[in-house]
Amino acid sequence: DNEKNGKGNMIYSNGDVYRGDWGVNNQNGKGKMIYSNGDVYWGHWRNNNQHGIGKMAFSNGDVYHGYWKYNNQHGIGKMIYSNGDLYDGEYNNGYIHGKGTMIYSNGDVSDGSWEYNDMVEGTINYANGEIKKITLAAPDENAINWQYP
C-alpha cells in the first residue's frame, strides 16, 4: 500500500520540500515546508494546508508567527516586517483585520481596529508626540440613495 501515513519527507517536482506528519496521503499534523521561492513554514497542517499554529519566514525577510486557516493568516498573530515594522493582533483570511497594534520602525504606533490592512478606528501616536484619532465616518445623509427597479 502506497498510502502516506506517519512521518515522512516529500520532494515535489516544483522544488518544494516537506518534512513532517502525514495522514491519509495528506500533510496532517506538524511539519516543515521549504518552498522553492525561499519561504519556510513550520507548524500545523490539515489536508495539505497550513492550518493551526505556525511560523512562516518569508524570503523577503518578513516573519509571521500565529494562527493559520487554509494557508492564510487567520486569528491572532504577529508579523515582524523586514523593514523593522511590527504588527501584533488579529488577522482574517490573510488580511490585518480586527483589533491590533502596528509599531513602525520610525517609532509611530497605530492601535485600533483594522479592516483589510487599513486602520479604520483607533489612535496613532506619532514618534514626535503628536496624537491623531481615527474614527469611521458616519454615513452621509445627503449621499445618493441607490434605487433598484
Side-chain angles (χ1 to χ4, degrees):
D1 156 1
N2 289 331
E3 188 171 280
K4 293 185 251 348
N5 285 298
K7 296 202 177 293
N9 302 326
M10 174 69 81
I11 300 171
Y12 294 91
S13 60
N14 66 358
D16 295 348
V17 177
Y18 175 79
R19 293 183 175 97
D21 297 334
W22 292 87
V24 194
N25 285 328
N26 290 307
Q27 299 155 0
N28 276 305
K30 293 181 183 177
K32 177 180 180 180
M33 178 75 84
I34 302 169
Y35 292 95
S36 59
N37 69 0
D39 295 347
V40 180
Y41 173 82
W42 306 260
H44 289 91
W45 293 83
R46 181 186 295 167
N47 297 325
N48 296 329
N49 293 287
Q50 300 157 2
H51 197 89
I53 297 173
K55 179 178 180 180
M56 176 79 85
F58 295 93
S59 60
N60 68 0
D62 296 347
V63 178
Y64 172 82
H65 186 263
Y67 285 89
W68 295 80
K69 184 176 181 182
Y70 301 110
N71 295 327
N72 289 304
Q73 298 108 323
H74 192 89
I76 301 295
K78 182 183 287 188
M79 177 76 85
I80 301 169
Y81 296 92
S82 60
N83 67 2
D85 295 348
L86 180 147
Y87 174 78
D88 190 1
E90 296 177 308
Y91 285 81
N92 188 332
N93 202 29
Y95 292 98
I96 293 173
H97 198 92
K99 301 284 185 195
T101 302
M102 180 75 78
I103 302 170
Y104 297 93
S105 59
N106 67 1
D108 295 348
V109 178
S110 297
D111 183 57
S113 295
W114 299 75
E115 290 183 5
Y116 303 104
N117 296 336
D118 292 319
M119 192 170 79
V120 295
E121 191 167 10
T123 304
I124 303 173
N125 292 294
Y126 293 97
N128 66 8
E130 182 184 344
I131 298 173
K132 182 178 181 182
K133 298 278 187 192
I134 305 291
T135 57
L136 290 169
D140 183 353
E141 293 178 9
N142 297 319
I144 297 171
N145 290 323
W146 293 97
Q147 300 292 320
Y148 294 99

